[in-house]
């Protein structure tokens, strides 16, 4: 039966998405080294680490992920022991990361450590302020000095301990010959404490131990809030990491043994209980259940799992125990490969990222220069060393470019996480910038706008007795059109047909009530089919003694296709359909979706040429396609998206992979990318305006070190919170 020929790559995307990473992630080098960098926290850190690693012979690429505090290095032939000394030389602590032990433990520990230091600084601040009240109330001479010394006894160890997050990183930066963001903060803390100690030794009227401790307290609060907002804006890579299962139930010698995932090898048998998460990629060999793969693909409906089904690490076994034969585990699993792919995308450098890094790096020397000039200028004008040092400290703190360093990473992290939850896997970190510029969207038809899966049209017109015959004949064939007939009448009792036989490429026949019945191609049945311009495929049902009935089929639209086209047009974007299919079939799909501009019978070269011509005319083209004939067009477009069911070549050529079925994620991607670009520009504006206002205020002496700390923390938090608006 074929007029029946529909593409064989029309499998459900949810099914195809399970092993997607094994195919897509082949672009990632298998010998990547991942190092944990607990000390990185700003854009300048990214530049310093990557520059130091790239200077090492044998290193091909190095990309820092600021959110996850790790660096991925492509260095064939080198090990972690060869790279760690290069980072230690510039003051960065580094450790090789064990992918099997990835968890949020390190981040949680850092948060608890900051909270402990905040608590100590806050307790000391309250006590010092109580002592300061006595001084402000009129204590004089020996009494005033006593209170100052007691305040110093509380403040000095407090600043030394609570300020460790700043002092440690500043010292590491200085040893590496750098001026990081923590250097001016540390200098400000030291200056505020030193001037207070000097005043106390000289029996001065004023000491500022309360201001020094408060400065430390509010700086720590700013650092902790930054830590928390980063945790809230968890990246897609962190969400994938959270799906990893540390242990598995290994079947051996007739029993079960709990072993780490790292010990599993292909061929092992593992047991997964109902409610448990699949620990490794594998094939079901025993049991029947349903799995939830929504966190991997965005699919909301459970998928059937039975012997022969391929499952991916990270899926949830819902209803019954399963026995799997492991095909890949640990670093080789599809989940780990997906994680590596997303991390690489998040760490990629776009135009805005590079701009922020260059600005932050150039800004650090300016901070120290402005502080030094402020100190010299105020001392020359007033001959008051204490006042001059306070002004210099305020300048050091208020001009810290933390907000500028966070402007881009915070937005990229929030945007990639949002798109991942909508079923889009970003392979190239620069894709967000390019997606925001799209004004023309070109769709392929089969497998993209449609599922490549036939559906029986006007099935209600078929009488009940003929339905029963058609269902019985179709049940004896595995052809897509036969399966579409069975699916169209799920509750139809079958007719009793004897001697059913299938003739490959022709159809199915048998005997019903003593009459010959057949279902298949028109030419096989000797039927002259004059209507060659219909939009879909067809099969003929022939019953001896009756006129044959033609059964027409249409290609099923992908979920969300119509809504996606409507949204794209509402956003002012041009929508074009390019297909190699017959004109009637292409026209039918275009009419069902309301696409006015379409082209049929286009070969692969023609698709690439049309996309290229659109680009030459100034259009920013997004190509959405899944076939081998779309590969050249995907590569030629300004940006590209492929469904999870796409061929390997198409996925490699595309920037983004649609892991779920719903095509609505495409419109979401363009809208999110445009919003992300707007947020980045807003963050740059916030950072620039902050410095235009704050720096002159500090230099003019209107900001104390304490007010400077509050302003600096507020600017960083404002930038991060602005990025988090993308999550809505």
């Amino acid at each position: 039966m074929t007029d029946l020929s529909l593409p064989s790559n029309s499998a459900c995307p949810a099914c195809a998405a399970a092993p997607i990473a094994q195919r897509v992630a082949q672009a990632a080098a298998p010998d990547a080294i991942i190092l944990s960098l607990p000390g990185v926290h700003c854009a300048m850190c990214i530049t310093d680490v990557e520059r130091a690693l790239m200077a090492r012979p044998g290193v091909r690429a190095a990309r820092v992920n600021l959110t996850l505090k790790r660096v991925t290095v492509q260095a064939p032939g080198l090990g972690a022991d060869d790279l760690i000394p290069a980072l230690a030389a510039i003051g960065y602590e580094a450790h090789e990361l064990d992918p099997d032990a990835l968890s949020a433990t390190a981040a949680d520990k850092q948060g608890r450590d900051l909270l402990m230091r905040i608590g100590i600084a806050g307790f000391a601040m309250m006590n010092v302020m109580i002592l300061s009240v006595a001084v402000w109330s009129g204590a004089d001479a020996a009494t005033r000095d006593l209170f100052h010394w007691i305040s110093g006894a509380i403040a000095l160890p407090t600043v030394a301990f609570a300020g460790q997050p700043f002092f440690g990183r500043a010292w590491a930066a200085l040893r590496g010959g750098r001026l990081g963001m923590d250097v001016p903060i540390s200098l400000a803390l030291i200056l505020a404490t030193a001037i207070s100690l000097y005043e106390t030794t000289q029996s001065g009227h004023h000491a500022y131990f309360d201001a020094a401790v408060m400065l430390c307290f509010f700086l720590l609060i700013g650092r902790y809030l930054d830590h928390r907002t980063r945790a809230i804006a968890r990246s897609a890579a962190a969400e994938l990491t959270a799906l990893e299962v540390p242990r598995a139930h290994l079947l051996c010698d007739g029993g079960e043994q709990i072993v780490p995932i790292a010990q599993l090898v292909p061929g092992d048998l593992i047991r997964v209980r109902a409610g448990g998460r699949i620990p490794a990629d594998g094939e079901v060999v025993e049991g029947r259940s349903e799995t939830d793969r929504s966190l991997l693909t965005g699919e909301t409906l459970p998928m059937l799992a039975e012997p022969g089904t391929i499952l991916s690490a990270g899926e949830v076994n819902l209803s019954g125990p399963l026995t799997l034969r492991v095909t890949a585990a640990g670093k080789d699993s599809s989940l780990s490969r997906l994680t590596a792919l997303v991390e690489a995308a998040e760490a990629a450098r776009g135009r805005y990222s590079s701009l922020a890094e260059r600005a932050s790096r150039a800004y650090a020397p300016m901070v120290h220069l402005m502080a030094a000039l402020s100190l010299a200028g105020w001392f020359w004008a007033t001959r008051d060393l204490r006042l001059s040092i306070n002004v210099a400290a305020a300048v050091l703190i208020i001009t810290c470019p933390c907000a500028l360093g966070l402007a881009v990473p915070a937005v990229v992290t929030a945007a990639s996480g949002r798109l991942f939850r909508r079923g889009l896997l970003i392979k190239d970190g620069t894709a967000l910038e390019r997606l925001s510029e799209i004004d023309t969207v070109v769709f392929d038809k089969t497998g993209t706008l449609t599922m490549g899966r036939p559906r029986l049209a006007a099935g209600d017109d078929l009488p009940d007795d003929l339905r029963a015959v058609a269902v019985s004949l179709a049940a004896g064939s595995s052809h897509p059109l036969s399966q579409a007939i069975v699916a169209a009448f799920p509750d139809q009792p079958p007719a009793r047909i004897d001697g059913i036989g299938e003739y490959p490429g022709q159809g199915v026949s048998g005997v019903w009530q003593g009459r010959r019945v057949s279902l298949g191609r028109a030419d096989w049945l000797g039927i002259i089919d004059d209507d060659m311009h219909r939009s879909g495929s067809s099969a003929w049902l022939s019953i001896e003694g009756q006129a044959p009935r033609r059964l027409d089929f249409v290609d099923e639209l992908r979920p969300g296709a119509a809504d996606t086209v409507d949204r794209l047009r509402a956003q002012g974007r041009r929508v074009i359909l390019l297909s190699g299919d017959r004109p009637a079939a292409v026209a039918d799909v275009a009419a069902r979706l309301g696409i006015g501009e379409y082209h049929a019978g286009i070969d692969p070269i023609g698709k690439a040429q049309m996309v290229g011509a659109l680009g030459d005319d100034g259009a920013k083209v997004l190509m959405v396609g899944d076939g081998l004939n779309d590969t050249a067009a995907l590569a030629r477009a300004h940006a590209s998206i492929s469904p999870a069911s796409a061929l390997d070549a198409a996925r490699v050529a595309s920037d983004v992979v649609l892991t779920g079925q719903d095509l609505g994620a495409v419109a979401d991607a363009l809208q999110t990318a445009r919003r992300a670009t707007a947020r980045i520009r807003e963050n740059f504006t916030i950072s620039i305006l902050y410095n235009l206002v704050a720096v002159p205020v500090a230099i003019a002496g209107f900001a104390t070190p304490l007010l400077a700390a509050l302003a600096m923390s507020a600017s960083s938090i404002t930038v991060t919170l602005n990025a988090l608006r993308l999550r809505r």
Side-chain angles (χ1 to χ4, degrees), residues 274-275 284 287-291 303-306 316-322:
V284 177
R288 185 182 178 88
S289 180
E290 291 180 317
T291 64
M303 304 300 299
L304 177 65
E306 57 186 355
V316 178
N317 180 21
L318 295 176
S319 53
L322 294 172

Side-chain angles (χ1 to χ4, degrees), residues 158-171:
T158 299
V159 172
F161 175 76
Q164 276 302 310
F166 310 110
F167 298 144
R169 290 172 182 169
W171 177 243

Side-chain angles (χ1 to χ4, degrees), residues 343-553:
E343 287 180 9
E346 289 183 347
R349 299 289 177 269
R351 181 173 68 252
Y352 293 114
S353 300
S354 301
L355 176 62
E357 289 174 15
R358 290 196 301 269
S360 295
R361 189 166 188 86
Y363 202 51
M366 292 176 58
V367 169
H368 297 274
L369 178 61
M370 284 188 291
L373 291 175
S374 299
L375 175 65
W378 274 91
F379 184 72
W380 176 79
T382 64
R383 301 299 173 180
D384 187 338
L385 180 61
R386 177 189 59 78
L387 177 61
S388 303
I389 291 177
N390 275 336
V391 172
V395 172
L396 282 171
I397 296 169
I398 212 166
T399 54
C400 180
C402 297
L404 189 61
L406 290 171
V408 178
V411 173
V412 172
T413 296
S416 62
R418 174 185 171 85
L419 292 180
F420 174 75
R421 286 186 289 274
R422 286 290 289 121
L424 285 167
L425 172 63
I426 299 178
K427 292 171 50 188
D428 186 341
T430 65
L432 270 177
E433 294 176 16
R434 287 182 280 120
L435 285 172
S436 69
E437 301 169 347
I438 295 300
D439 54 29
T440 303
V441 182
V442 175
F443 286 103
D444 174 48
K445 182 180 78 69
T446 305
T448 304
L449 287 173
T450 69
M451 298 296 294
R453 190 164 58 204
R455 176 175 58 83
L456 181 63
D460 294 339
D461 296 341
L462 201 63
D464 288 344
D465 57 340
L466 296 187
R467 288 185 191 179
V469 172
V471 168
S472 297
L473 288 172
S477 171
S478 59
H479 193 278
L481 294 189
S482 295
Q483 296 304 308
I485 293 173
V486 174
F489 307 114
D491 301 323
Q492 176 65 50
R496 180 175 178 178
I497 299 180
D498 300 321
I500 293 180
E502 182 174 15
Y503 300 84
Q506 305 295 333
V508 185
S509 67
V511 178
W512 173 62
Q513 296 180 353
R515 290 180 290 176
R516 193 73 180 173
V517 292
S518 302
L519 177 68
R521 293 167 51 116
D523 56 357
W524 178 58
L525 297 173
I527 299 171
I528 298 176
D529 190 356
D530 294 326
D531 188 3
M532 300 303 295
H533 300 287
R534 59 186 178 274
S535 60
S537 302
S538 67
W540 287 81
L541 176 63
S542 173
I543 299 178
E544 188 177 351
Q546 295 185 17
R549 300 286 295 261
R550 191 178 75 197
L551 305 179
D552 290 322
F553 299 83

Side-chain angles (χ1 to χ4, degrees), residues 570-588:
Q571 294 169 5
R573 294 184 172 91
R574 180 182 177 188
V575 179
I576 303 173
L577 172 57
L578 296 183
S579 176
D581 207 347
R582 293 173 294 113
V586 177
D588 176 66

